[in-house]
């Protein structure tokens, strides 16, 4: 997969904020999917050597049957500190290395993290989507910002995630009796469509199959 990087990676927090504020203007939260959707991918990260080495995993699955087609791993020195709200600068360089290795180009990428559910509306899923010019979805395991109403226990139930009067995502129940996920548009996909694809990628477990496979690879489990 050919990767074009539109900016250099910052060394300071101020430079990172400038990039987020600039590139967030390019985020599209309407459906611009290349249909039919034949392949979905998950990306996830692990770290070794006390966090000094980034380990990125990519898993490409067929859709809708969710069979693993291809997986890749990439390692590189970690070049940005762990700062909430700026994880894309820590993680995406290695993710791009892993994506460059794959032969099967996915139609949608599901990211372990936030899309526009972010203070500057530019979480890792949005950042990756803008760089790749591809549809991406933020699938986070925990709440970062925003508030929502109480969520029913029924699988598929969801509530809007609201921040400063704006709907920035959804809290989604993917399995009865387990904690929900926090879904947000990354790039080139609407929230309702993102919810639909996340549910279609979670036939058995809390997490999408894309994320489950990538997480095992990234964590070396």
């Amino acid at each position: 997969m050919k990767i074009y990087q539109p900016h250099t990676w910052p060394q300071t927090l101020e430079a990172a904020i400038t990039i987020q504020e600039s590139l967030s203007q390019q985020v599209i939260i309407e459906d611009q999917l290349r249909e039919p959707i034949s392949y979905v991918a998950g990306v996830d990260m692990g770290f070794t050597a006390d966090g000094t080495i980034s380990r990125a995993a990519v898993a490409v699955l067929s859709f809708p049957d969710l069979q693993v087609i291809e997986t890749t791993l990439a390692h590189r020195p970690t070049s940005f500190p762990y700062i909430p709200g700026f994880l894309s600068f820590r993680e995406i360089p290695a993710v791009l290395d892993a994506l460059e290795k794959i032969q099967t180009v996915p139609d949608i990428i599901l990211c372990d993290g936030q899309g526009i559910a972010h203070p500057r509306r530019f979480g890792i899923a949005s950042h990756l989507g803008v760089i790749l010019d591809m549809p991406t979805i933020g699938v986070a395991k925990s709440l970062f910002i925003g508030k929502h109403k109480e969520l029913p226990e029924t699988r598929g139930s969801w509530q809007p995630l609201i921040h400063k009067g704006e709907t920035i995502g959804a809290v989604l129940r993917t399995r009865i009796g387990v904690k929900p996920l926090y879904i947000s548009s990354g790039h080139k996909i609407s929230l309702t469509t993102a919810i639909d694809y996340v549910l279609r990628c979670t036939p058995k477990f809390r997490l999408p199959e894309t994320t489950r496979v990538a997480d095992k690879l990234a964590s070396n489990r």
Side-chain angles (χ1 to χ4, degrees):
M1 182 175 173
K2 187 65 176 177
I3 305 294
Y4 299 94
Q5 298 196 26
H7 62 74
T8 58
W9 293 101
Q11 300 300 311
T12 67
L13 196 60
E14 292 75 16
I17 291 173
T18 298
I19 289 172
Q20 287 183 337
E21 291 177 343
S22 174
L23 293 186
S24 66
Q25 304 304 310
Q26 299 180 28
V27 173
I28 299 168
I29 55 173
E30 298 175 352
D31 292 328
Q32 293 189 7
L33 305 177
R34 181 180 59 191
E35 295 183 308
I37 303 300
S38 300
Y39 301 102
V40 290
V43 299
D44 206 347
M45 288 292 300
F47 295 90
T48 60
D50 294 324
T52 62
I53 300 297
S54 300
R55 176 186 176 100
V58 175
V60 183
L61 280 63
S62 57
F63 186 86
D65 55 338
L66 302 176
Q67 300 300 304
V68 178
I69 301 299
E70 186 178 359
T71 62
T72 62
L73 277 172
H75 300 78
R76 71 149 59 194
T78 305
S79 58
F80 200 85
Y82 174 83
I83 305 174
F86 298 90
L87 297 186
S88 63
F89 298 100
R90 180 177 172 87
E91 299 182 359
I92 285 181
V95 169
L96 294 178
D97 290 345
L99 285 168
E100 282 191 314
K101 296 182 178 182
I102 64 172
Q103 302 300 312
T104 309
V105 178
D107 301 298
I108 303 174
I109 298 178
L110 286 74
C111 300
D112 179 25
Q114 312 291 344
I116 67 166
H118 181 276
R120 285 167 294 282
R121 307 297 184 256
F122 201 67
I124 187 170
S126 296
H127 199 159
L128 186 63
V130 168
I131 288 175
L132 300 175
D133 192 29
M134 291 179 59
T136 54
I137 302 172
V139 184
K141 296 186 286 289
S142 59
L143 178 67
F144 184 36
I145 62 169
K147 296 181 179 180
H148 60 85
K149 294 181 180 179
E150 185 175 351
L151 186 65
E153 290 291 331
T154 310
R155 167 179 157 80
S157 62
W158 65 276
Q159 289 287 346
L161 183 62
I162 308 296
H163 182 248
K164 294 183 177 180
E166 178 184 357
T167 298
I168 59 171
V171 52
L172 172 67
R173 186 84 67 188
T174 55
R175 190 179 179 193
I176 297 173
V178 300
K179 293 180 180 179
L181 297 176
Y182 298 87
I183 311 303
S184 55
S185 302
H187 186 51
K188 289 192 168 184
I189 194 165
S190 67
L191 179 58
T192 54
T193 301
I195 291 169
D196 177 54
Y197 277 103
V198 169
L199 282 172
R200 293 169 73 181
C201 288
T202 53
K204 296 180 181 179
F205 302 100
R206 178 195 181 208
L207 296 177
E209 291 301 297
T210 48
T211 303
R212 282 181 6 94
V213 175
D215 175 69
K216 289 181 180 179
L217 288 168
S219 304
N220 198 24
R221 293 201 298 268

